[in-house]
Amino acid sequence: MTLKPPPLRNDCFALPAGVEWTPVDQALAQLRARLGAVTAVQEVPVAEALGRVLAKDVIARRSNPPQANSAVDGYGFAGAVEEGAHVLPLVDGRAAAGVPFGGVVPAGQAIRILTGAALPEGVDTVILEEDVTVGEGQIAFRGPLKRGANARRAGEDVAEGDVALPQGRQVTPADLALLAAVGVGTVPVRAPLRVAVVSTGDELVEPGQVAGPGQIFDANRVMLLAMIGRFGFTPVDMGRVGDDRAALRARLDQAAEQADVILTSGGASAGDEDHVSALLREAGAMQEWRVAIKPGRPLALGLWNGAPVFGLPGNPVAAMVCTLVFARPALCQMAGMGWQEPVGFDVPAAFEKRKKPGRREYLRARMRDGRAEVFASEGSGRISGLSWAEGLVEIGDGERHIRPGDPVRFLPYGSFGL
Ligand code: AMP
Ligand code: MG
């Protein structure tokens, strides 16, 4: 008997009939509902809090500014001032930042005041020194000037007792300034989430080594470890494993001990050498995620000794997109940050594309001249396109014919924390 090939299918990219493809949003909703914070809480000095996740709301211990003060170098008095020319006698003395004037400024008189100085009693308004002529013991200037001009009110920024920063916030450099300003010295933060990364595949060779025929360099691992670092988590490098079930089993055991969550790449579909999905299925905690996403399927999700495993596709483009779209929000949730979605922008397309219904697509993209350009090839092995891109264009699940100038959603890499 001769072996017959199956009939050709001209719809080989269509979704298989009779198979449920989970829409991206449904898959995300499931992850969101099932995962929670897993990291311990500790107290650290503000100076060590950069990138850490706040475990509780942080309350302002002091108002910012703590007292009314001058926003400029000039002369302070009680406002308002009507239109026209004015002459005010100067009080003896001066108010400077950190060196307040202890007396009272009588009505109808002014005092020399510098930026940041607390407003003395009797002063609620400041005129810029550039707008003043200074004479012997007096100043002359022109109105009008509103009451409160060039002055900052106590607590106008943050009031004592307010929530300065919310629980779940990943602390930024600006947050450090805010925490310091409102008198906070230490903050409760979560221990960094430990994320293990394992590459799988007999074909993989360490970058920089000699690669024989049929071998390729492990591109995913350096990328994934770096992404985890950028997300603010602790990358745990678990190396490479060949397509060997026992070896992979042992490596997953180690990874589950050393990390809170595991990312693997490769071996996630249902083929002969797809040992990640096979092992997760064997462990009985496997969800094969037939997610309607391009690039990206298949994705294997499961638990290994209690640690969630994201079995990412082997193709680097799919591995990166799946990490950004699925793993990152889930990792954020586990890290105590709550569910994090990227902030996108609707911008005009610089390209044309026809897209079939039934799956969500992510294109490697970048902004030039106010329009989103996409990489010339959509091939999921085209690593240079990932590097060329500065973000992704997300195209919704439905059918679409995008023409140049049509609005598309651009998600900068930065909005994913990269
Ligand atoms: P797999 O999902 O294991 O069938 O892999 C799909 C494709 O991705 C194959 O062409 C693999 O050689 C490739 N691939 C898998 N892992 C990596 C990796 N770590 N770096 C670069 N390419 C990979
Ligand atoms: Mg493989």
Side-chain angles (χ1 to χ4, degrees):
M1 204 171 90
T2 51
L3 203 54
K4 258 212 205 136
L8 280 181
R9 296 168 55 120
N10 61 4
D11 62 343
C12 57
F13 290 114
L15 303 178
V19 176
E20 277 270 350
W21 287 89
T22 312
V24 172
D25 284 338
Q26 202 177 313
L28 290 175
Q30 282 192 43
L31 282 178
R32 184 176 189 165
R34 288 176 194 176
L35 294 171
V38 298
T39 44
V41 177
Q42 60 186 134
E43 190 84 14
V44 299
V46 163
E48 291 166 25
L50 182 67
R52 303 296 292 274
V53 177
L54 296 176
K56 294 195 190 106
D57 287 351
V58 178
I59 306 299
R61 299 171 66 95
R62 197 172 190 230
S63 294
N64 183 51
Q67 67 256 316
N69 68 88
S70 179
V72 298
D73 288 346
Y75 295 84
F77 46 79
V81 176
E82 289 177 358
E83 201 168 334
H86 301 271
V87 174
L88 293 183
L90 277 175
V91 168
D92 217 14
R94 170 187 102 130
V99 192
F101 177 75
V104 179
V105 177
Q109 299 191 24
I111 185 171
R112 174 70 169 145
I113 192 165
L114 301 180
T115 306
L119 298 186
E121 220 183 308
V123 173
D124 58 16
T125 304
V126 180
I127 186 158
L128 273 167
E129 65 184 16
E130 290 88 335
D131 295 340
V132 168
T133 312
V134 186
E136 198 58 41
Q138 56 184 16
I139 55 169
F141 58 92
R142 285 191 182 282
L145 201 63
K146 283 193 194 135
R147 181 185 302 279
N150 300 313
R152 306 171 178 137
R153 282 175 291 107
E156 70 174 19
D157 182 27
V158 182
E160 182 184 325
D162 280 357
V163 173
L165 290 171
Q167 177 185 338
R169 171 86 175 177
Q170 194 173 36
V171 176
T172 67
D175 294 344
L176 297 180
L178 178 58
L179 291 168
V182 298
V184 173
T186 65
V187 282
V189 296
R190 294 205 168 259
L193 186 76
R194 297 163 307 162
V195 186
V197 175
V198 186
S199 290
T200 73
D202 279 341
E203 73 278 34
L204 301 180
V205 178
E206 199 64 12
Q209 304 284 301
V210 178
Q215 295 188 311
I216 61 168
F217 296 112
D218 178 1
N220 288 344
R221 202 166 97 246
V222 282
M223 171 179 76
L224 294 171
L225 289 166
M227 289 171 75
I228 288 155
R230 285 281 174 99
F231 296 158
F233 309 139
T234 302
V236 181
D237 185 356
M238 298 303 300
R240 282 175 289 110
V241 199
D243 290 317
D244 173 318
R245 207 160 293 188
L248 180 59
R249 186 183 286 120
R251 199 66 65 93
L252 290 177
D253 284 345
Q254 287 171 5
E257 250 172 47
Q258 295 178 30
D260 304 302
V261 52
I262 303 167
L263 305 187
T264 64
S265 71
S269 21
D272 300 347
E273 297 294 350
D274 288 322
H275 300 291
V276 173
S277 49
L279 279 174
L280 290 177
R281 198 174 297 115
E282 210 178 279
M286 156 84 179
Q287 292 263 348
E288 196 187 338
W289 280 41
R290 303 174 74 81
V291 182
I293 179 173
K294 184 192 170 193
R297 51 191 205 242
L299 201 60
L301 276 94
L303 278 184
W304 191 265
N305 298 343
V309 180
F310 285 83
L312 301 164
N315 282 308
V317 175
M320 180 165 166
V321 168
C322 283
T323 301
L324 293 178
V325 175
F326 293 105
R328 178 179 170 266
L331 296 178
C332 288
Q333 184 123 314
M334 294 180 69
M337 293 163 67
W339 192 257
Q340 298 288 319
E341 276 167 10
V343 178
F345 302 90
D346 288 324
V347 299
F351 60 93
E352 171 156 17
K353 178 180 166 67
R354 287 174 194 275
K355 177 188 161 296
K356 290 183 184 167
R359 68 182 174 199
R360 186 166 305 178
E361 291 196 18
Y362 292 89
L363 308 178
R364 282 149 280 176
R366 64 184 193 184
M367 292 296 298
R368 288 293 181 275
D369 301 324
R371 289 147 70 99
E373 307 181 331
V374 295
F375 192 58
S377 163
E378 292 185 16
S380 68
R382 300 288 190 105
I383 302 176
S384 69
L386 281 180
S387 165
W388 172 93
E390 294 161 7
L392 302 172
V393 158
E394 179 185 58
I395 312 177
D397 301 359
E399 183 171 5
R400 251 195 101 178
H401 180 189
I402 295 164
R403 296 177 185 83
D406 287 354
V408 289
R409 180 130 279 233
F410 179 67
L411 307 169
Y413 282 158
S415 76
F416 292 100
L418 291 187

